[in-house]
Amino acid sequence: MQHSLHEHLGSEWILEGPVGRATGPSPHRFLFAGITIEPDAHPDLVADVAGDICDSFAVLSGRELPGREPEDGPVWMLRSPGPVADLGRASTGVRIRTVETDEELDRWEELSFVANGGQRELPGELHPAGSQHDPRLRFLTADIDGAAVGTGLAVLNTESVTVSAVTVLPEWRGRGIGRELTVAVLETAPELPAVLSASELGLGVYKRLGFEELERFRRWSRRKPA
């Protein structure tokens, strides 16, 4: 996921054995500049990146990453490959559609930010026009009676599908829409294992969809000057 998003924002992303990292500054505040892919990754491989670090297995220390502060992140979850149809669909009256045009992508991005309680700074700041044509990305919108109320994103590679950006406007929560969006993402590649990072609020929903808890990752950010 980081690779594709960095690429669309003009940032080079490389794999160096047990880590992934940007060669320059992270192009967006939501993205990491370095990620550990294996639990024994040496901290020196990411310690100098120009942005936040995702310590995927929460094993690094402040001594190994001087000048950075840790923050516990969501829980990694994994679902084994398997049928999705037997998960059933909630009777929410929701229609899930795939984003196809630049205009639809712009509305998708704005909705995703708002549903997360924030505002984007610029149109296309995280998902620029044309991103919907990347075969690795599948942008989904949940509509009820023609109104867009939620978003989802499938990030595909040869090894897994990542469930990302599942958001629902506050006034529409509690109706199973987030679950429908998650199922729709899983339907993009049921033959692959699925991964996601879950907040405490979403743990129960994802467990009922067959996801199992793994580790909680840790985010390391630069200390702000006193």
Side-chain angles (χ1 to χ4, degrees), residues 4-218:
S4 61
L5 297 184
H6 275 256
E7 185 178 274
H8 283 292
L9 293 174
S11 170
E12 184 181 11
W13 182 267
I14 60 174
L15 294 177
E16 290 188 341
V19 306
R21 55 177 289 158
T23 58
S26 177
H28 193 274
R29 63 191 185 279
F30 288 172
L31 300 181
F32 293 107
I35 296 178
T36 58
I37 300 172
E38 299 177 9
D40 58 352
H42 198 284
D44 287 352
L45 294 173
V46 291
D48 63 340
V49 297
D52 290 358
I53 297 168
C54 176
D55 177 9
S56 300
F57 306 92
V59 296
L60 302 179
S61 69
R63 177 179 55 81
E64 296 167 322
L65 299 173
R68 295 180 185 269
E69 296 284 355
E71 178 184 356
D72 286 340
V75 178
W76 289 121
M77 302 190 79
L78 172 69
R79 183 183 188 272
S80 298
V84 179
D86 60 358
L87 296 176
R89 306 299 291 263
S91 57
T92 59
V94 66
R95 171 176 174 253
I96 307 295
R97 58 182 177 82
T98 301
V99 168
E100 297 179 351
T101 68
D102 289 347
E103 183 180 2
E104 289 172 346
L105 179 63
D106 181 65
R107 291 198 298 266
W108 182 98
E109 184 183 68
E110 183 176 23
L111 174 59
S112 179
F113 272 76
V114 171
N116 267 320
Q119 293 287 336
R120 60 180 178 173
E121 296 175 356
L122 295 168
E125 66 171 79
L126 188 56
H127 303 288
S131 298
Q132 74 275 17
H133 300 307
D134 187 331
R136 297 169 295 182
L137 304 176
R138 192 76 56 82
F139 297 88
L140 303 172
T141 301
D143 287 352
I144 293 183
D145 296 330
V149 299
T151 66
L153 172 61
V155 185
L156 298 145
N157 60 51
T158 57
E159 297 181 353
S160 66
V161 55
T162 299
V163 181
S164 182
V166 175
T167 66
V168 178
L169 290 172
E171 61 269 30
W172 289 97
R173 291 173 188 165
R175 307 187 189 198
I177 298 171
R179 183 186 188 281
E180 293 251 10
L181 284 161
T182 303
V183 171
V185 171
L186 295 176
E187 288 175 336
T188 65
E191 74 282 3
L192 294 175
V195 296
L196 57 79
S197 57
S199 65
E200 298 295 333
L201 187 63
L203 279 175
V205 173
Y206 296 130
K207 285 181 178 178
R208 289 190 289 275
L209 292 175
F211 284 88
E212 298 180 0
E213 289 188 53
L214 302 177
E215 290 91 356
R216 183 182 296 276
F217 72 81
R218 187 171 293 150

